[in-house]
Amino acid sequence: MTDALATQPSLRRSSTPQDDRVGIDPLPAVTLMEDHDEALWAWQRGNFSNRILLHIDAHIDFNWIPERSFSDLLSISSPQELEALTQQKIFWNFTDRGTESFVHIGNYICPALRQGLLRAFYWATPEAPRGVSWEKEMGYIFREFRRNHPEAFTDIRIEGTKAQATLYGFPLIVCTLQNLPTIEEEVLLDIDTDFLISGFLEHGDEDPRCKKPWLFPENVVDALRSKGIRSDCVTIAYSVEGGFTPLPYKYFGDALAQLIRDPSAPNDAYHHKRSAQAFEEEGKVEETILEYRKALGVNPKDAASFYNLSLLFLKRGEKTEASRLYREAVSADPTYATAYNNFGPAYQNLGQWKKAEEEYKKILTLDPNHAHALCGLGHTFRAEKDFSQALFYYEEALSKNPRLATAYYGIGSLFFEQGEWDRALSAFRKSLELKGPEAILKFWIGSAFLKKKESRLAKENLLEAARLGFHPLLLHLRLFWIYFREGLTYKMGREARKILFLLWLETKNYFLRLIHFHV
C-alpha cells in the first residue's frame, strides 16, 4: 500500500540534519503528563505548525469537537448564507461553553488539526494477538467510528497491518509499530503508556487484573530507533486516571522518558523493577521483594517500588508494613494516592460490586483516609440497596474531603432512589458547584424537578443536558412526557423520533456486537 503522505509533495518538508534521533541522540524535549490532552497545550506552547504527528496509542484520541456555535447563526445576514451554512457537514455547539472546554483525552488531536499545528498523522497501534486479524479488527473500529461520525473517514483502505484514510480532510496512516513506514522529517512524538498494557483491542468486560504488559519501554524505543524516527518534541501520558494504565506500571512512562532523554544513561532501578514483576508472575515472593529493595537502593524515593511492595506485603497479611510502605509511596509521589490505586473503580464499571467492595476495603487497610475508596464503598452499598450503609460511607468520604463532588453525586442519587426529591436536588447542586459531571447532573436535576411536578425547571435542565451532549433514552422519554403534558404535539413527535432512533441504534449495535464477536 502506498503511503498517502508520500503521494502528496506539499506534505513533505525539506530534510533536516540527522540529529534528534530517537534512541540514539539525547532528546531533552520530553514532557510527561497524566492526562493525554495536555499534549495539545505542549504543542501550542512550542508554537508548532504544519507538523506530522506520530501517535502511539491503543485508543482513538481523534473524536471531533463542535466547531460552530449559536452566535454563528445570529450573525447570518441572508437566507442564502443560512442555506449554505446548513449544507456544511459540521458539528454544532449550542451551549455557552467555549470550544476549548470540550477538549479531553479522547479528542485533543482534533483542535491540533483544526488550529494548523498538525497537517497529518500516523497512528501506531499495538500488534494483534495470535489468532486475531488486525485488518478485520481495524475495519470494525473504523466502521464503529464512522457510525458515530458519518463524515469522519473517507478513502479508507486497509491491507494487512496498514490502513490509510482521510480523516476530516487530513491524511491518516494507521499501522502497527513494527510496520511503521519511513518518515523523512522530524515528528511530534506522542506516546500513551497504556499502549504497553492494553494490547490491540481492549474488551470492556475484561477482568482488570488480567491487564499485563505485552511490550516494554525499551522495545518501543528500539522500534523507533530501527525506523529512524526523529523528533524535537516528545509527549508521554501516564493515563492512570480512568484506569487505562494500572498504577503498578506507571513507572513505564518514566522509563520511556529516560530512555528517550538519554539513551546511554544507566537505568538500574527500572531493570530491578522489571525483574521484580517477572519474579512475582512466577510466584517467587522473596526474590520479588529483594529486587524491589535493590531498586530502592538505587533510588530511595522510588514510589513505584514502595507501592508495589505495599501490595505484596498486604497480600501476605502484613498490614502494618504494607501501610508503612504505602505511605512512603505517597510521600515520594502524592499521585499514588489516586482513586485508581486499586481495581475498585474498574470492577464498579463492570457491575461486579462484591469485587469492587473488596478492592476498596483493601486500599482502606493501607490508607483509612482514602476519600475516593470510602465514596466507592458508598456506591457499592447503594447498588446493593443498603441505603444506610451507603449514606454512612458517603458522609465518611466527605469528612475526609469536603469537596469531593462524586460523594455529593452519590448522595443525590441515593435520595433520588428513595423519593426524597428536595434532598436529592440539594446534593446534585452541590456536586455541580464542585465541578461534578455537568451534563449528567443537569439530567438528574431535571429529573428531580419532574418528580416534583415542576415542569418548567425540569424541561430547562433536561434540555441543557441534551445541549451538553448527554442523550440517554430516559432523557428523551422524560421530555416526551413533558411535551405531552403541555400539549405540544410537534415537539412530542420530535422526541418520539429520537426515542425510536435510539431504540433502533441500540438494537443494531447489539446485533453488530454479536456478529463481530462470533464470526
Side-chain angles (χ1 to χ4, degrees):
M1 182 183 293
T2 304
D3 184 338
L5 303 187
T7 64
Q8 302 184 45
S10 62
L11 291 176
R12 287 294 187 201
R13 291 153 56 112
S14 59
S15 61
T16 56
Q18 294 299 308
D19 52 12
D20 292 343
R21 296 167 297 178
V22 176
I24 298 175
D25 301 314
L27 305 181
V30 178
T31 303
L32 276 162
M33 60 201 68
E34 169 52 41
D35 296 321
H36 213 160
D37 54 317
E38 292 176 42
L40 173 63
W41 319 128
W43 301 333
Q44 290 174 337
R45 287 193 302 271
N47 294 316
F48 295 110
S49 66
N50 203 36
R51 298 294 299 273
I52 288 180
L53 171 69
L54 173 51
H55 175 67
I56 301 175
D57 199 343
H59 303 96
I60 287 178
D61 289 347
F62 45 82
N63 283 297
W64 211 240
I65 296 176
E67 54 201 294
R68 303 297 289 270
S69 67
F70 189 68
S71 61
D72 293 309
L73 290 176
L74 296 178
S75 64
I76 292 172
S77 59
S78 70
Q80 293 78 14
E81 192 177 343
L82 175 61
E83 183 178 359
L85 190 61
T86 57
Q87 294 301 313
Q88 295 179 33
K89 304 296 184 181
I90 54 180
F91 293 87
W92 287 91
N93 167 21
F94 289 118
T95 73
D96 58 358
R97 296 164 57 190
T99 300
E100 67 282 352
S101 69
F102 287 93
V103 177
H104 55 66
I105 60 174
N107 65 16
Y108 67 96
I109 293 176
C110 161
L113 290 165
R114 188 183 296 163
Q115 295 167 17
L117 281 67
L118 309 176
R119 71 183 191 278
F121 70 102
Y122 290 81
W123 173 25
T125 75
E127 300 281 338
R130 185 182 299 276
V132 175
S133 165
W134 187 97
E135 184 175 359
K136 174 186 171 184
E137 296 290 351
M138 189 52 60
Y140 173 74
I141 290 171
F142 273 32
R143 287 194 301 274
E144 285 294 290
F145 191 83
R146 285 188 75 178
R147 180 179 59 77
N148 295 313
H149 307 277
E151 304 301 322
F153 288 117
T154 57
D155 307 320
I156 298 174
R157 285 186 287 163
I158 306 175
E159 183 180 312
T161 54
K162 189 174 181 182
Q164 64 183 48
T166 300
L167 174 68
Y168 303 113
F170 297 92
L172 165 68
I173 300 290
V174 186
C175 59
T176 63
L177 189 59
Q178 298 304 320
N179 288 330
L180 188 68
T182 300
I183 305 177
E184 296 175 2
E185 66 181 77
E186 287 183 322
V187 300
L188 301 182
L189 178 58
D190 185 42
I191 307 174
D192 198 321
T193 306
D194 71 11
F195 173 86
L196 302 166
I197 311 296
S198 298
F200 177 57
L201 188 63
E202 217 178 342
H203 297 291
D205 58 352
E206 182 183 15
D207 190 314
R209 292 189 179 280
C210 295
K211 283 182 146 185
K212 303 292 182 184
W214 71 278
L215 203 65
F216 297 94
E218 59 270 29
N219 304 133
V220 173
V221 175
D222 286 346
L224 294 172
R225 180 175 60 246
S226 70
K227 299 294 181 180
I229 297 299
R230 294 179 295 117
S231 178
D232 54 350
C233 176
V234 182
T235 46
I236 300 172
Y238 292 118
S239 295
V240 171
E241 300 300 318
F244 301 105
T245 300
L247 190 59
Y249 300 110
K250 179 181 179 179
Y251 75 92
F252 279 14
D254 298 311
L256 275 168
Q258 184 169 340
L259 285 166
I260 293 172
R261 282 175 176 147
D262 189 353
S264 62
N267 202 350
D268 294 340
Y270 165 72
H271 292 297
H272 286 306
K273 285 180 283 191
R274 283 269 282 107
S275 296
Q277 288 179 319
F279 281 129
E280 188 172 7
E281 286 292 309
E282 297 171 9
K284 298 178 178 179
V285 178
E286 295 305 322
E287 290 88 341
T288 302
I289 293 172
L290 179 60
E291 288 298 322
Y292 280 130
R293 297 289 189 200
K294 288 179 179 178
L296 287 168
V298 177
N299 177 9
K301 294 292 184 182
D302 191 277
S305 294
F306 280 124
Y307 174 74
N308 287 326
L309 277 171
S310 74
L311 298 181
L312 198 61
F313 276 90
L314 184 62
K315 189 183 295 185
R316 286 170 39 143
E318 299 181 40
K319 296 180 181 179
T320 301
E321 179 64 2
S323 182
R324 183 191 72 78
L325 289 163
Y326 174 82
R327 291 195 301 272
E328 290 280 5
V330 173
S331 175
D333 184 348
T335 66
Y336 274 72
T338 172
Y340 292 91
N341 61 8
N342 63 92
F343 290 114
Y347 282 124
Q348 180 180 311
N349 290 337
L350 294 172
Q352 298 181 22
W353 297 104
K354 284 298 182 185
K355 288 184 178 180
E357 182 181 342
E358 291 170 8
E359 286 294 315
Y360 290 132
K361 286 181 175 178
K362 184 188 299 181
I363 202 66
L364 285 167
T365 302
L366 301 176
D367 179 6
N369 295 317
H370 199 297
H372 289 284
L374 290 164
C375 187
L377 282 176
H379 296 329
T380 62
F381 284 109
R382 179 165 62 85
E384 295 167 358
K385 305 300 181 184
D386 189 339
F387 294 141
S388 61
Q389 277 289 87
L391 184 59
F392 169 78
Y393 280 110
Y394 285 137
E395 290 176 341
E396 279 291 294
L398 289 170
S399 73
K400 311 301 181 187
N401 180 1
R403 299 190 60 79
L404 190 60
T406 51
Y408 281 109
Y409 174 69
I411 290 172
S413 301
L414 187 67
F415 287 136
F416 189 93
E417 290 176 36
Q418 293 179 300
E420 299 188 44
W421 317 123
D422 288 324
R423 296 178 77 181
L425 277 169
S426 176
F428 286 142
R429 284 168 166 165
K430 185 64 177 179
S431 181
L432 191 61
E433 177 188 322
L434 295 172
K435 308 299 182 185
E438 184 180 4
I440 296 173
L441 285 165
K442 287 287 185 179
F443 167 75
W444 285 111
I445 289 170
S447 299
F449 276 122
L450 185 61
K451 294 292 186 180
K452 285 167 58 70
K453 302 188 186 315
E454 296 185 34
S455 295
R456 182 184 63 82
L457 290 171
K459 180 169 62 175
E460 180 182 301
N461 282 278
L462 291 171
L463 287 172
E464 181 63 16
R467 281 193 291 270
L468 290 167
F470 190 60
H471 292 279
L473 179 63
L474 193 54
L475 181 145
H476 294 290
L477 286 168
R478 286 175 174 166
L479 283 173
F480 178 89
W481 174 247
I482 290 171
Y483 293 137
F484 172 76
R485 295 280 299 273
E486 293 176 344
L488 298 175
T489 309
Y490 71 99
K491 290 190 176 181
M492 286 171 54
R494 183 184 65 193
E495 294 304 320
R497 286 191 294 273
K498 292 178 181 176
I499 290 165
L500 289 171
F501 174 75
L502 289 171
L503 288 170
W504 170 80
L505 199 60
E506 186 58 36
T507 304
K508 175 188 171 185
N509 290 342
Y510 172 76
F511 284 108
L512 282 176
R513 286 193 293 269
L514 279 181
I515 292 168
H516 174 69
F517 291 113
H518 290 86
V519 170

